[in-house]
Amino acid sequence: MLNQDEQIALFVEAINKDAEKLCKKIDKETKQLYASEVEKLRRKAEEKMLQRINYYKNETETDFNKNLALDKTANRQLLCDKRNEITQKVFALVREEISAFTEGDGYAEFLQESLKSICGYTCGAVEIFARGADTEKVKAAAERLGIEYTVSADEGIALGGIRVADRSANKIFDDTLDLRIQEQREWFLLNSSLGINI
């Protein structure tokens, strides 16, 4: 049998082994708990970081889209202004050409042909409207064609040509250069490749 000192030594050794096992178990649990808490914190930090990234990404996209929309609007306005400028220049030149034409020799013949064409669709007396400067030419054309007419100056006709009213048929025929240029302007805008599609 073991003496008391040996028994105490064995008892202390057993306690030390148990304490060592317990320390290892506590150490293992502590490491697991630490790793688990660190992982939770890492996930939380990562989630916060992703939220911030998404926030800044959305804010950046919103700012970009706003700026893009503003740029598109500004560019569209620039294109519209340039288109209008080109159209104005083209039609200013057209008006100059028309003005030169109405001052030339062929204009009286143009008025007569226009009146002749319109009178093919009228019944009896007609009322002819023309620029004040053209009333004498129109009267001469009507006389040559032998039609019943009255001629009135029309301030609404700026470029030239005639407008004929057939009161008996309740019809108005417009062959003014003003209407022709307006129709050409619409055609020009549709067919000049100056369309704006942004």
Side-chain angles (χ1 to χ4, degrees):
M1 179 156 215
L2 297 174
N3 68 24
Q4 192 177 4
D5 285 342
E6 287 175 337
Q7 284 179 348
I8 291 174
L10 284 176
F11 182 68
V12 168
E13 187 181 329
I15 289 175
N16 282 339
K17 280 185 182 178
D18 279 348
E20 195 177 304
K21 279 183 188 177
L22 190 59
C23 279
K24 283 183 181 179
K25 183 180 175 188
I26 290 172
D27 188 45
K28 185 179 178 184
E29 285 175 1
T30 303
K31 283 180 181 177
Q32 285 175 345
L33 183 62
Y34 176 79
S36 170
E37 290 301 314
V38 165
E39 181 61 22
K40 281 181 194 174
L41 288 172
R42 187 192 65 76
R43 272 192 253 122
K44 209 174 202 179
E46 193 175 271
E47 193 175 297
K48 257 188 176 176
M49 183 182 66
L50 284 174
Q51 285 174 350
R52 279 196 180 148
I53 287 171
N54 285 333
Y55 171 78
Y56 289 120
K57 178 183 164 200
N58 290 338
E59 201 167 276
T60 303
E61 283 177 2
T62 301
D63 287 346
F64 174 78
N65 289 335
K66 274 186 204 171
N67 290 333
L68 183 64
L70 290 172
D71 287 348
K72 273 185 167 184
T73 301
N75 288 336
R76 184 178 199 85
Q77 187 59 50
L78 284 172
L79 284 172
C80 284
D81 292 347
K82 195 63 175 171
R83 173 185 169 176
N84 288 337
E85 180 186 328
I86 290 168
T87 303
Q88 294 302 330
K89 283 181 182 177
V90 167
F91 282 90
L93 291 171
V94 169
R95 282 187 183 83
E96 286 176 22
E97 292 290 323
I98 288 173
S99 182
F101 170 68
T102 59
E103 298 299 320
D105 296 333
Y107 182 56
E109 187 179 324
F110 167 80
L111 289 172
Q112 184 169 327
E113 286 302 313
S114 178
L115 188 56
K116 182 180 176 184
S117 175
I118 290 171
C119 286
Y121 298 99
T122 61
C123 310
V126 292
E127 188 175 358
I128 306 167
F129 299 93
R131 295 186 307 174
D134 295 342
T135 55
E136 293 305 315
K137 290 176 187 162
V138 171
K139 284 178 185 177
E143 291 291 330
R144 282 192 294 276
L145 292 170
I147 58 174
E148 254 187 88
Y149 70 92
T150 57
V151 175
S152 301
D154 186 341
E155 295 298 318
I157 301 173
L159 299 173
I162 58 173
R163 188 175 296 121
V164 177
D166 181 351
R167 303 289 182 208
S168 62
N170 202 22
K171 291 183 181 178
I172 295 178
F173 301 89
D174 192 334
D175 194 20
T176 58
L177 296 173
D178 303 70
L179 180 62
R180 287 184 181 201
I181 198 172
Q182 181 183 337
E183 289 171 347
Q184 286 302 306
R185 184 184 183 95
E186 290 168 11
W187 179 91
F188 178 78
L189 291 174
L190 287 172
N191 297 289
S192 65
S193 298
L194 291 177
I196 299 170
N197 296 317
I198 293 180

